[in-house]
PDB file of all heavy atoms in Angstrom:
ATOM      1  N   PRO A   1      90.242 -35.933 -43.282  1.00 97.00           N
ATOM      2  CA  PRO A   1      90.287 -34.967 -42.202  1.00 97.00           C
ATOM      3  C   PRO A   1      89.265 -33.887 -42.371  1.00 97.00           C
ATOM      4  O   PRO A   1      88.739 -33.614 -43.458  1.00 97.00           O
ATOM      5  CB  PRO A   1      91.699 -34.413 -42.353  1.00 97.00           C
ATOM      6  CG  PRO A   1      92.015 -34.554 -43.797  1.00 97.00           C
ATOM      7  CD  PRO A   1      91.365 -35.812 -44.214  1.00 97.00           C
ATOM      8  N   THR A   2      88.927 -33.217 -41.291  1.00 98.00           N
ATOM      9  CA  THR A   2      88.170 -31.966 -41.276  1.00 98.00           C
ATOM     10  C   THR A   2      89.123 -30.860 -41.606  1.00 98.00           C
ATOM     11  O   THR A   2      90.048 -30.615 -40.854  1.00 98.00           O
ATOM     12  CB  THR A   2      87.512 -31.739 -39.931  1.00 98.00           C
ATOM     13  OG1 THR A   2      86.753 -32.912 -39.522  1.00 98.00           O
ATOM     14  CG2 THR A   2      86.527 -30.550 -39.981  1.00 98.00           C
ATOM     15  N   GLU A   3      88.866 -30.167 -42.704  1.00 98.00           N
ATOM     16  CA  GLU A   3      89.802 -29.145 -43.185  1.00 98.00           C
ATOM     17  C   GLU A   3      89.819 -27.945 -42.252  1.00 98.00           C
ATOM     18  O   GLU A   3      88.822 -27.372 -41.897  1.00 98.00           O
ATOM     19  CB  GLU A   3      89.432 -28.687 -44.603  1.00 98.00           C
ATOM     20  CG  GLU A   3      90.419 -27.813 -45.249  1.00 98.00           C
ATOM     21  CD  GLU A   3      90.159 -27.466 -46.681  1.00 98.00           C
ATOM     22  OE1 GLU A   3      89.226 -28.044 -47.228  1.00 98.00           O
ATOM     23  OE2 GLU A   3      90.846 -26.587 -47.256  1.00 98.00           O
ATOM     24  N   ALA A   4      91.034 -27.563 -41.852  1.00 98.00           N
ATOM     25  CA  ALA A   4      91.240 -26.375 -40.953  1.00 98.00           C
ATOM     26  C   ALA A   4      90.850 -25.126 -41.725  1.00 98.00           C
ATOM     27  O   ALA A   4      91.048 -24.985 -42.954  1.00 98.00           O
ATOM     28  CB  ALA A   4      92.634 -26.324 -40.453  1.00 98.00           C
ATOM     29  N   GLY A   5      90.310 -24.123 -41.013  1.00 98.00           N
ATOM     30  CA  GLY A   5      89.975 -22.864 -41.585  1.00 98.00           C
ATOM     31  C   GLY A   5      88.694 -22.317 -40.999  1.00 98.00           C
ATOM     32  O   GLY A   5      88.159 -22.911 -40.020  1.00 98.00           O
ATOM     33  N   THR A   6      88.211 -21.200 -41.536  1.00 98.00           N
ATOM     34  CA  THR A   6      86.974 -20.569 -41.071  1.00 98.00           C
ATOM     35  C   THR A   6      85.989 -20.512 -42.267  1.00 98.00           C
ATOM     36  O   THR A   6      86.359 -20.064 -43.321  1.00 98.00           O
ATOM     37  CB  THR A   6      87.208 -19.185 -40.532  1.00 98.00           C
ATOM     38  OG1 THR A   6      88.105 -19.263 -39.373  1.00 98.00           O
ATOM     39  CG2 THR A   6      85.930 -18.508 -40.064  1.00 98.00           C
ATOM     40  N   TYR A   7      84.772 -20.998 -41.987  1.00 98.00           N
ATOM     41  CA  TYR A   7      83.793 -21.142 -43.084  1.00 98.00           C
ATOM     42  C   TYR A   7      82.446 -20.687 -42.570  1.00 98.00           C
ATOM     43  O   TYR A   7      82.094 -20.889 -41.445  1.00 98.00           O
ATOM     44  CB  TYR A   7      83.688 -22.581 -43.540  1.00 98.00           C
ATOM     45  CG  TYR A   7      85.033 -23.257 -43.729  1.00 98.00           C
ATOM     46  CD1 TYR A   7      85.655 -23.972 -42.698  1.00 98.00           C
ATOM     47  CD2 TYR A   7      85.658 -23.170 -44.943  1.00 98.00           C
ATOM     48  CE1 TYR A   7      86.893 -24.584 -42.895  1.00 98.00           C
ATOM     49  CE2 TYR A   7      86.930 -23.801 -45.177  1.00 98.00           C
ATOM     50  CZ  TYR A   7      87.477 -24.504 -44.115  1.00 98.00           C
ATOM     51  OH  TYR A   7      88.726 -25.120 -44.330  1.00 98.00           O
ATOM     52  N   PRO A   8      81.575 -20.128 -43.495  1.00 98.00           N
ATOM     53  CA  PRO A   8      80.208 -19.781 -43.091  1.00 98.00           C
ATOM     54  C   PRO A   8      79.228 -20.967 -43.313  1.00 98.00           C
ATOM     55  O   PRO A   8      79.351 -21.688 -44.319  1.00 98.00           O
ATOM     56  CB  PRO A   8      79.862 -18.613 -44.027  1.00 98.00           C
ATOM     57  CG  PRO A   8      80.728 -18.842 -45.253  1.00 98.00           C
ATOM     58  CD  PRO A   8      81.975 -19.562 -44.808  1.00 98.00           C
ATOM     59  N   VAL A   9      78.338 -21.152 -42.407  1.00 98.00           N
ATOM     60  CA  VAL A   9      77.301 -22.124 -42.593  1.00 98.00           C
ATOM     61  C   VAL A   9      76.472 -21.733 -43.824  1.00 98.00           C
ATOM     62  O   VAL A   9      76.113 -20.594 -44.020  1.00 98.00           O
ATOM     63  CB  VAL A   9      76.375 -22.154 -41.354  1.00 98.00           C
ATOM     64  CG1 VAL A   9      75.138 -23.018 -41.648  1.00 98.00           C
ATOM     65  CG2 VAL A   9      77.139 -22.749 -40.154  1.00 98.00           C
ATOM     66  N   TYR A  10      76.246 -22.728 -44.710  1.00 98.00           N
ATOM     67  CA  TYR A  10      75.557 -22.424 -45.948  1.00 98.00           C
ATOM     68  C   TYR A  10      74.280 -23.244 -46.161  1.00 98.00           C
ATOM     69  O   TYR A  10      73.468 -22.937 -47.074  1.00 98.00           O
ATOM     70  CB  TYR A  10      76.519 -22.596 -47.149  1.00 98.00           C
ATOM     71  CG  TYR A  10      76.884 -24.041 -47.427  1.00 98.00           C
ATOM     72  CD1 TYR A  10      76.105 -24.818 -48.314  1.00 98.00           C
ATOM     73  CD2 TYR A  10      78.027 -24.624 -46.894  1.00 98.00           C
ATOM     74  CE1 TYR A  10      76.434 -26.151 -48.540  1.00 98.00           C
ATOM     75  CE2 TYR A  10      78.376 -25.929 -47.170  1.00 98.00           C
ATOM     76  CZ  TYR A  10      77.535 -26.693 -48.000  1.00 98.00           C
ATOM     77  OH  TYR A  10      77.881 -27.988 -48.216  1.00 98.00           O
ATOM     78  N   GLU A  11      74.062 -24.289 -45.404  1.00 98.00           N
ATOM     79  CA  GLU A  11      72.856 -25.079 -45.552  1.00 98.00           C
ATOM     80  C   GLU A  11      72.591 -25.825 -44.225  1.00 98.00           C
ATOM     81  O   GLU A  11      73.547 -26.204 -43.529  1.00 98.00           O
ATOM     82  CB  GLU A  11      73.060 -26.178 -46.676  1.00 98.00           C
ATOM     83  CG  GLU A  11      71.811 -26.859 -47.070  1.00 98.00           C
ATOM     84  CD  GLU A  11      72.019 -27.736 -48.292  1.00 98.00           C
ATOM     85  OE1 GLU A  11      73.147 -28.178 -48.555  1.00 98.00           O
ATOM     86  OE2 GLU A  11      71.027 -27.972 -49.038  1.00 98.00           O
ATOM     87  N   ARG A  12      71.310 -25.997 -43.898  1.00 98.00           N
ATOM     88  CA  ARG A  12      70.916 -26.554 -42.585  1.00 98.00           C
ATOM     89  C   ARG A  12      69.731 -27.510 -42.731  1.00 98.00           C
ATOM     90  O   ARG A  12      68.862 -27.291 -43.606  1.00 98.00           O
ATOM     91  CB  ARG A  12      70.542 -25.468 -41.599  1.00 98.00           C
ATOM     92  CG  ARG A  12      71.625 -24.408 -41.471  1.00 98.00           C
ATOM     93  CD  ARG A  12      71.169 -23.219 -40.622  1.00 98.00           C
ATOM     94  NE  ARG A  12      71.137 -23.484 -39.215  1.00 98.00           N
ATOM     95  CZ  ARG A  12      70.074 -23.446 -38.434  1.00 98.00           C
ATOM     96  NH1 ARG A  12      68.886 -23.154 -38.921  1.00 98.00           N
ATOM     97  NH2 ARG A  12      70.183 -23.693 -37.124  1.00 98.00           N
ATOM     98  N   PHE A  13      69.726 -28.494 -41.876  1.00 98.00           N
ATOM     99  CA  PHE A  13      68.596 -29.462 -41.849  1.00 98.00           C
ATOM    100  C   PHE A  13      68.293 -29.829 -40.426  1.00 98.00           C
ATOM    101  O   PHE A  13      69.231 -30.084 -39.643  1.00 98.00           O
ATOM    102  CB  PHE A  13      68.887 -30.706 -42.655  1.00 98.00           C
ATOM    103  CG  PHE A  13      69.203 -30.487 -44.066  1.00 98.00           C
ATOM    104  CD1 PHE A  13      70.521 -30.411 -44.525  1.00 98.00           C
ATOM    105  CD2 PHE A  13      68.181 -30.384 -45.026  1.00 98.00           C
ATOM    106  CE1 PHE A  13      70.833 -30.184 -45.856  1.00 98.00           C
ATOM    107  CE2 PHE A  13      68.457 -30.167 -46.376  1.00 98.00           C
ATOM    108  CZ  PHE A  13      69.795 -30.071 -46.798  1.00 98.00           C
ATOM    109  N   PHE A  14      67.023 -29.918 -40.065  1.00 98.00           N
ATOM    110  CA  PHE A  14      66.671 -30.485 -38.764  1.00 98.00           C
ATOM    111  C   PHE A  14      67.036 -31.916 -38.729  1.00 98.00           C
ATOM    112  O   PHE A  14      67.503 -32.464 -37.722  1.00 98.00           O
ATOM    113  CB  PHE A  14      65.179 -30.294 -38.460  1.00 98.00           C
ATOM    114  CG  PHE A  14      64.815 -28.926 -38.088  1.00 98.00           C
ATOM    115  CD1 PHE A  14      64.137 -28.079 -39.020  1.00 98.00           C
ATOM    116  CD2 PHE A  14      65.099 -28.375 -36.869  1.00 98.00           C
ATOM    117  CE1 PHE A  14      63.764 -26.786 -38.690  1.00 98.00           C
ATOM    118  CE2 PHE A  14      64.720 -27.087 -36.531  1.00 98.00           C
ATOM    119  CZ  PHE A  14      64.097 -26.289 -37.446  1.00 98.00           C
ATOM    120  N   THR A  15      66.839 -32.602 -39.842  1.00 98.00           N
ATOM    121  CA  THR A  15      67.287 -33.999 -39.989  1.00 98.00           C
ATOM    122  C   THR A  15      67.488 -34.312 -41.479  1.00 98.00           C
ATOM    123  O   THR A  15      66.789 -33.739 -42.284  1.00 98.00           O
ATOM    124  CB  THR A  15      66.259 -34.976 -39.369  1.00 98.00           C
ATOM    125  OG1 THR A  15      66.736 -36.313 -39.490  1.00 98.00           O
ATOM    126  CG2 THR A  15      64.904 -34.871 -40.128  1.00 98.00           C
ATOM    127  N   THR A  16      68.460 -35.124 -41.787  1.00 98.00           N
ATOM    128  CA  THR A  16      68.715 -35.482 -43.184  1.00 98.00           C
ATOM    129  C   THR A  16      69.427 -36.834 -43.246  1.00 98.00           C
ATOM    130  O   THR A  16      69.843 -37.408 -42.234  1.00 98.00           O
ATOM    131  CB  THR A  16      69.597 -34.367 -43.820  1.00 98.00           C
ATOM    132  OG1 THR A  16      69.658 -34.580 -45.218  1.00 98.00           O
ATOM    133  CG2 THR A  16      71.018 -34.381 -43.276  1.00 98.00           C
ATOM    134  N   THR A  17      69.507 -37.344 -44.453  1.00 97.00           N
ATOM    135  CA  THR A  17      70.293 -38.539 -44.747  1.00 97.00           C
ATOM    136  C   THR A  17      71.651 -38.158 -45.261  1.00 97.00           C
ATOM    137  O   THR A  17      71.749 -37.385 -46.217  1.00 97.00           O
ATOM    138  CB  THR A  17      69.564 -39.455 -45.746  1.00 97.00           C
ATOM    139  OG1 THR A  17      68.317 -39.920 -45.169  1.00 97.00           O
ATOM    140  CG2 THR A  17      70.449 -40.685 -46.081  1.00 97.00           C
ATOM    141  N   MET A  18      72.692 -38.708 -44.681  1.00 96.00           N
ATOM    142  CA  MET A  18      74.070 -38.460 -45.180  1.00 96.00           C
ATOM    143  C   MET A  18      74.572 -39.728 -45.849  1.00 96.00           C
ATOM    144  O   MET A  18      74.485 -40.822 -45.296  1.00 96.00           O
ATOM    145  CB  MET A  18      74.955 -38.071 -44.011  1.00 96.00           C
ATOM    146  CG  MET A  18      74.688 -36.712 -43.440  1.00 96.00           C
ATOM    147  SD  MET A  18      75.943 -36.241 -42.192  1.00 96.00           S
ATOM    148  CE  MET A  18      75.652 -34.431 -42.123  1.00 96.00           C
ATOM    149  N   SER A  19      75.093 -39.552 -47.082  1.00 93.00           N
ATOM    150  CA  SER A  19      75.592 -40.720 -47.811  1.00 93.00           C
ATOM    151  C   SER A  19      76.889 -40.352 -48.500  1.00 93.00           C
ATOM    152  O   SER A  19      77.199 -39.221 -48.722  1.00 93.00           O
ATOM    153  CB  SER A  19      74.522 -41.169 -48.844  1.00 93.00           C
ATOM    154  OG  SER A  19      74.218 -40.132 -49.729  1.00 93.00           O
ATOM    155  N   GLY A  20      77.633 -41.383 -48.856  1.00 90.00           N
ATOM    156  CA  GLY A  20      78.914 -41.192 -49.492  1.00 90.00           C
ATOM    157  C   GLY A  20      79.680 -42.488 -49.627  1.00 90.00           C
ATOM    158  O   GLY A  20      79.088 -43.581 -49.573  1.00 90.00           O
ATOM    159  N   ILE A  21      80.985 -42.357 -49.690  1.00 91.00           N
ATOM    160  CA  ILE A  21      81.824 -43.521 -49.825  1.00 91.00           C
ATOM    161  C   ILE A  21      82.856 -43.553 -48.684  1.00 91.00           C
ATOM    162  O   ILE A  21      83.493 -42.567 -48.381  1.00 91.00           O
ATOM    163  CB  ILE A  21      82.636 -43.472 -51.216  1.00 91.00           C
ATOM    164  CG1 ILE A  21      81.647 -43.364 -52.371  1.00 91.00           C
ATOM    165  CG2 ILE A  21      83.485 -44.703 -51.349  1.00 91.00           C
ATOM    166  CD1 ILE A  21      80.715 -44.526 -52.508  1.00 91.00           C
ATOM    167  N   ASN A  22      82.899 -44.706 -48.044  1.00 92.00           N
ATOM    168  CA  ASN A  22      83.920 -44.916 -46.971  1.00 92.00           C
ATOM    169  C   ASN A  22      85.337 -44.982 -47.546  1.00 92.00           C
ATOM    170  O   ASN A  22      85.509 -45.213 -48.753  1.00 92.00           O
ATOM    171  CB  ASN A  22      83.612 -46.218 -46.279  1.00 92.00           C
ATOM    172  CG  ASN A  22      82.386 -46.112 -45.388  1.00 92.00           C
ATOM    173  OD1 ASN A  22      82.266 -45.239 -44.515  1.00 92.00           O
ATOM    174  ND2 ASN A  22      81.421 -47.045 -45.613  1.00 92.00           N
ATOM    175  N   PRO A  23      86.346 -44.787 -46.727  1.00 90.00           N
ATOM    176  CA  PRO A  23      87.713 -44.854 -47.205  1.00 90.00           C
ATOM    177  C   PRO A  23      88.049 -46.207 -47.882  1.00 90.00           C
ATOM    178  O   PRO A  23      88.953 -46.265 -48.785  1.00 90.00           O
ATOM    179  CB  PRO A  23      88.551 -44.632 -45.964  1.00 90.00           C
ATOM    180  CG  PRO A  23      87.673 -43.833 -45.077  1.00 90.00           C
ATOM    181  CD  PRO A  23      86.263 -44.319 -45.351  1.00 90.00           C
ATOM    182  N   ASP A  24      87.371 -47.287 -47.462  1.00 90.00           N
ATOM    183  CA  ASP A  24      87.628 -48.592 -48.081  1.00 90.00           C
ATOM    184  C   ASP A  24      86.869 -48.825 -49.376  1.00 90.00           C
ATOM    185  O   ASP A  24      86.938 -49.893 -49.967  1.00 90.00           O
ATOM    186  CB  ASP A  24      87.326 -49.712 -47.106  1.00 90.00           C
ATOM    187  CG  ASP A  24      85.847 -49.758 -46.701  1.00 90.00           C
ATOM    188  OD1 ASP A  24      85.029 -49.008 -47.251  1.00 90.00           O
ATOM    189  OD2 ASP A  24      85.509 -50.628 -45.818  1.00 90.00           O
ATOM    190  N   GLY A  25      86.130 -47.777 -49.827  1.00 91.00           N
ATOM    191  CA  GLY A  25      85.422 -47.870 -51.123  1.00 91.00           C
ATOM    192  C   GLY A  25      83.967 -48.335 -50.988  1.00 91.00           C
ATOM    193  O   GLY A  25      83.249 -48.325 -52.007  1.00 91.00           O
ATOM    194  N   THR A  26      83.503 -48.699 -49.813  1.00 95.00           N
ATOM    195  CA  THR A  26      82.152 -49.152 -49.659  1.00 95.00           C
ATOM    196  C   THR A  26      81.256 -47.926 -49.439  1.00 95.00           C
ATOM    197  O   THR A  26      81.639 -46.935 -48.825  1.00 95.00           O
ATOM    198  CB  THR A  26      81.991 -50.140 -48.467  1.00 95.00           C
ATOM    199  OG1 THR A  26      82.386 -49.422 -47.274  1.00 95.00           O
ATOM    200  CG2 THR A  26      82.841 -51.324 -48.627  1.00 95.00           C
ATOM    201  N   PRO A  27      80.019 -48.029 -49.950  1.00 94.00           N
ATOM    202  CA  PRO A  27      79.109 -46.890 -49.761  1.00 94.00           C
ATOM    203  C   PRO A  27      78.493 -46.877 -48.364  1.00 94.00           C
ATOM    204  O   PRO A  27      78.379 -47.942 -47.693  1.00 94.00           O
ATOM    205  CB  PRO A  27      78.005 -47.126 -50.804  1.00 94.00           C
ATOM    206  CG  PRO A  27      77.993 -48.592 -50.953  1.00 94.00           C
ATOM    207  CD  PRO A  27      79.409 -49.067 -50.765  1.00 94.00           C
ATOM    208  N   TYR A  28      78.064 -45.723 -47.931  1.00 93.00           N
ATOM    209  CA  TYR A  28      77.322 -45.646 -46.658  1.00 93.00           C
ATOM    210  C   TYR A  28      76.118 -44.674 -46.860  1.00 93.00           C
ATOM    211  O   TYR A  28      76.168 -43.810 -47.737  1.00 93.00           O
ATOM    212  CB  TYR A  28      78.180 -45.120 -45.541  1.00 93.00           C
ATOM    213  CG  TYR A  28      78.577 -43.660 -45.641  1.00 93.00           C
ATOM    214  CD1 TYR A  28      77.777 -42.662 -45.081  1.00 93.00           C
ATOM    215  CD2 TYR A  28      79.792 -43.307 -46.217  1.00 93.00           C
ATOM    216  CE1 TYR A  28      78.184 -41.291 -45.224  1.00 93.00           C
ATOM    217  CE2 TYR A  28      80.169 -41.963 -46.330  1.00 93.00           C
ATOM    218  CZ  TYR A  28      79.364 -40.958 -45.812  1.00 93.00           C
ATOM    219  OH  TYR A  28      79.750 -39.667 -45.939  1.00 93.00           O
ATOM    220  N   SER A  29      75.097 -44.943 -46.112  1.00 94.00           N
ATOM    221  CA  SER A  29      73.911 -44.070 -46.124  1.00 94.00           C
ATOM    222  C   SER A  29      73.320 -44.066 -44.724  1.00 94.00           C
ATOM    223  O   SER A  29      72.826 -45.075 -44.238  1.00 94.00           O
ATOM    224  CB  SER A  29      72.902 -44.537 -47.128  1.00 94.00           C
ATOM    225  OG  SER A  29      71.775 -43.686 -47.190  1.00 94.00           O
ATOM    226  N   ASP A  30      73.461 -42.924 -44.000  1.00 94.00           N
ATOM    227  CA  ASP A  30      73.008 -42.823 -42.639  1.00 94.00           C
ATOM    228  C   ASP A  30      71.748 -41.934 -42.574  1.00 94.00           C
ATOM    229  O   ASP A  30      71.857 -40.714 -42.759  1.00 94.00           O
ATOM    230  CB  ASP A  30      74.107 -42.198 -41.775  1.00 94.00           C
ATOM    231  CG  ASP A  30      75.335 -43.084 -41.688  1.00 94.00           C
ATOM    232  OD1 ASP A  30      75.198 -44.311 -41.688  1.00 94.00           O
ATOM    233  OD2 ASP A  30      76.478 -42.540 -41.611  1.00 94.00           O
ATOM    234  N   PRO A  31      70.606 -42.507 -42.330  1.00 96.00           N
ATOM    235  CA  PRO A  31      69.349 -41.720 -42.296  1.00 96.00           C
ATOM    236  C   PRO A  31      69.180 -41.009 -40.970  1.00 96.00           C
ATOM    237  O   PRO A  31      69.815 -41.356 -39.952  1.00 96.00           O
ATOM    238  CB  PRO A  31      68.260 -42.736 -42.539  1.00 96.00           C
ATOM    239  CG  PRO A  31      68.856 -43.989 -41.930  1.00 96.00           C
ATOM    240  CD  PRO A  31      70.344 -43.952 -42.180  1.00 96.00           C
ATOM    241  N   ASP A  32      68.325 -40.044 -40.934  1.00 97.00           N
ATOM    242  CA  ASP A  32      67.913 -39.374 -39.684  1.00 97.00           C
ATOM    243  C   ASP A  32      69.031 -38.792 -38.890  1.00 97.00           C
ATOM    244  O   ASP A  32      69.028 -38.827 -37.655  1.00 97.00           O
ATOM    245  CB  ASP A  32      67.107 -40.358 -38.820  1.00 97.00           C
ATOM    246  CG  ASP A  32      65.888 -40.977 -39.522  1.00 97.00           C
ATOM    247  OD1 ASP A  32      65.231 -40.189 -40.266  1.00 97.00           O
ATOM    248  OD2 ASP A  32      65.658 -42.141 -39.351  1.00 97.00           O
ATOM    249  N   ILE A  33      70.012 -38.193 -39.575  1.00 98.00           N
ATOM    250  CA  ILE A  33      71.073 -37.457 -38.870  1.00 98.00           C
ATOM    251  C   ILE A  33      70.468 -36.104 -38.456  1.00 98.00           C
ATOM    252  O   ILE A  33      69.998 -35.329 -39.263  1.00 98.00           O
ATOM    253  CB  ILE A  33      72.295 -37.216 -39.749  1.00 98.00           C
ATOM    254  CG1 ILE A  33      72.823 -38.564 -40.256  1.00 98.00           C
ATOM    255  CG2 ILE A  33      73.375 -36.436 -39.028  1.00 98.00           C
ATOM    256  CD1 ILE A  33      73.287 -39.481 -39.131  1.00 98.00           C
ATOM    257  N   PRO A  34      70.535 -35.767 -37.112  1.00 98.00           N
ATOM    258  CA  PRO A  34      69.809 -34.583 -36.655  1.00 98.00           C
ATOM    259  C   PRO A  34      70.709 -33.342 -36.520  1.00 98.00           C
ATOM    260  O   PRO A  34      71.958 -33.449 -36.408  1.00 98.00           O
ATOM    261  CB  PRO A  34      69.337 -35.025 -35.283  1.00 98.00           C
ATOM    262  CG  PRO A  34      70.447 -35.947 -34.795  1.00 98.00           C
ATOM    263  CD  PRO A  34      70.999 -36.637 -36.049  1.00 98.00           C
ATOM    264  N   TRP A  35      70.059 -32.196 -36.583  1.00 98.00           N
ATOM    265  CA  TRP A  35      70.661 -30.898 -36.201  1.00 98.00           C
ATOM    266  C   TRP A  35      71.864 -30.616 -37.051  1.00 98.00           C
ATOM    267  O   TRP A  35      73.008 -30.466 -36.539  1.00 98.00           O
ATOM    268  CB  TRP A  35      70.975 -30.809 -34.722  1.00 98.00           C
ATOM    269  CG  TRP A  35      69.886 -31.382 -33.856  1.00 98.00           C
ATOM    270  CD1 TRP A  35      69.937 -32.451 -33.022  1.00 98.00           C
ATOM    271  CD2 TRP A  35      68.582 -30.827 -33.680  1.00 98.00           C
ATOM    272  NE1 TRP A  35      68.770 -32.615 -32.349  1.00 98.00           N
ATOM    273  CE2 TRP A  35      67.895 -31.639 -32.768  1.00 98.00           C
ATOM    274  CE3 TRP A  35      67.930 -29.757 -34.244  1.00 98.00           C
ATOM    275  CZ2 TRP A  35      66.600 -31.383 -32.397  1.00 98.00           C
ATOM    276  CZ3 TRP A  35      66.610 -29.500 -33.849  1.00 98.00           C
ATOM    277  CH2 TRP A  35      65.930 -30.298 -32.924  1.00 98.00           C
ATOM    278  N   VAL A  36      71.704 -30.503 -38.363  1.00 98.00           N
ATOM    279  CA  VAL A  36      72.823 -30.510 -39.309  1.00 98.00           C
ATOM    280  C   VAL A  36      73.084 -29.103 -39.836  1.00 98.00           C
ATOM    281  O   VAL A  36      72.107 -28.428 -40.358  1.00 98.00           O
ATOM    282  CB  VAL A  36      72.585 -31.433 -40.499  1.00 98.00           C
ATOM    283  CG1 VAL A  36      73.758 -31.434 -41.502  1.00 98.00           C
ATOM    284  CG2 VAL A  36      72.345 -32.868 -39.981  1.00 98.00           C
ATOM    285  N   SER A  37      74.321 -28.594 -39.734  1.00 98.00           N
ATOM    286  CA  SER A  37      74.666 -27.289 -40.330  1.00 98.00           C
ATOM    287  C   SER A  37      75.929 -27.516 -41.179  1.00 98.00           C
ATOM    288  O   SER A  37      77.040 -27.644 -40.607  1.00 98.00           O
ATOM    289  CB  SER A  37      74.958 -26.252 -39.213  1.00 98.00           C
ATOM    290  OG  SER A  37      73.781 -25.981 -38.469  1.00 98.00           O
ATOM    291  N   TYR A  38      75.789 -27.470 -42.482  1.00 98.00           N
ATOM    292  CA  TYR A  38      76.914 -27.619 -43.373  1.00 98.00           C
ATOM    293  C   TYR A  38      77.712 -26.309 -43.452  1.00 98.00           C
ATOM    294  O   TYR A  38      77.107 -25.269 -43.615  1.00 98.00           O
ATOM    295  CB  TYR A  38      76.418 -27.996 -44.803  1.00 98.00           C
ATOM    296  CG  TYR A  38      76.053 -29.412 -44.973  1.00 98.00           C
ATOM    297  CD1 TYR A  38      74.732 -29.856 -44.810  1.00 98.00           C
ATOM    298  CD2 TYR A  38      77.037 -30.413 -45.231  1.00 98.00           C
ATOM    299  CE1 TYR A  38      74.395 -31.199 -44.996  1.00 98.00           C
ATOM    300  CE2 TYR A  38      76.691 -31.724 -45.363  1.00 98.00           C
ATOM    301  CZ  TYR A  38      75.386 -32.129 -45.268  1.00 98.00           C
ATOM    302  OH  TYR A  38      75.033 -33.433 -45.429  1.00 98.00           O
ATOM    303  N   PHE A  39      79.033 -26.441 -43.381  1.00 98.00           N
ATOM    304  CA  PHE A  39      79.862 -25.224 -43.384  1.00 98.00           C
ATOM    305  C   PHE A  39      81.016 -25.285 -44.398  1.00 98.00           C
ATOM    306  O   PHE A  39      81.541 -24.249 -44.740  1.00 98.00           O
ATOM    307  CB  PHE A  39      80.451 -24.969 -42.008  1.00 98.00           C
ATOM    308  CG  PHE A  39      81.315 -26.046 -41.425  1.00 98.00           C
ATOM    309  CD1 PHE A  39      82.657 -26.040 -41.685  1.00 98.00           C
ATOM    310  CD2 PHE A  39      80.766 -27.020 -40.642  1.00 98.00           C
ATOM    311  CE1 PHE A  39      83.479 -27.053 -41.150  1.00 98.00           C
ATOM    312  CE2 PHE A  39      81.571 -28.016 -40.082  1.00 98.00           C
ATOM    313  CZ  PHE A  39      82.960 -28.072 -40.384  1.00 98.00           C
ATOM    314  N   ASN A  40      81.375 -26.446 -44.905  1.00 98.00           N
ATOM    315  CA  ASN A  40      82.488 -26.546 -45.853  1.00 98.00           C
ATOM    316  C   ASN A  40      82.318 -27.825 -46.645  1.00 98.00           C
ATOM    317  O   ASN A  40      82.674 -28.891 -46.185  1.00 98.00           O
ATOM    318  CB  ASN A  40      83.838 -26.548 -45.148  1.00 98.00           C
ATOM    319  CG  ASN A  40      85.017 -26.649 -46.072  1.00 98.00           C
ATOM    320  OD1 ASN A  40      84.971 -26.120 -47.196  1.00 98.00           O
ATOM    321  ND2 ASN A  40      86.064 -27.339 -45.663  1.00 98.00           N
ATOM    322  N   GLY A  41      81.841 -27.670 -47.883  1.00 96.00           N
ATOM    323  CA  GLY A  41      81.602 -28.868 -48.724  1.00 96.00           C
ATOM    324  C   GLY A  41      80.672 -29.826 -47.978  1.00 96.00           C
ATOM    325  O   GLY A  41      79.534 -29.469 -47.582  1.00 96.00           O
ATOM    326  N   GLY A  42      81.148 -31.049 -47.806  1.00 96.00           N
ATOM    327  CA  GLY A  42      80.314 -32.047 -47.125  1.00 96.00           C
ATOM    328  C   GLY A  42      80.514 -32.092 -45.605  1.00 96.00           C
ATOM    329  O   GLY A  42      79.972 -32.947 -44.945  1.00 96.00           O
ATOM    330  N   ASP A  43      81.360 -31.179 -45.102  1.00 98.00           N
ATOM    331  CA  ASP A  43      81.573 -31.112 -43.624  1.00 98.00           C
ATOM    332  C   ASP A  43      80.470 -30.345 -42.937  1.00 98.00           C
ATOM    333  O   ASP A  43      80.080 -29.256 -43.378  1.00 98.00           O
ATOM    334  CB  ASP A  43      82.926 -30.478 -43.351  1.00 98.00           C
ATOM    335  CG  ASP A  43      84.092 -31.264 -43.838  1.00 98.00           C
ATOM    336  OD1 ASP A  43      83.894 -32.409 -44.262  1.00 98.00           O
ATOM    337  OD2 ASP A  43      85.221 -30.717 -43.839  1.00 98.00           O
TER     338      ASP A  43
END
């Protein structure tokens, strides 16, 4: 889930690659994700 609460944006990218682990344990890597503003951990 996206954690409820209020958070400040701490990092930004015009475009970036997002990677991690899916709930089923398989890895993912999504390139060229645009207009990214991180505000809480990996959210």
Side-chain angles (χ1 to χ4, degrees):
T2 307
E3 187 174 352
T6 298
Y7 313 93
V9 169
Y10 70 89
E11 191 172 26
R12 305 171 79 239
F13 300 97
F14 285 105
T15 182
T16 190
T17 296
M18 288 186 163
S19 58
I21 304 297
N22 288 305
D24 63 4
T26 60
Y28 70 87
S29 181
D30 296 325
D32 302 322
I33 302 299
W35 316 116
V36 181
S37 295
Y38 281 96
F39 60 88
N40 180 35
D43 295 349

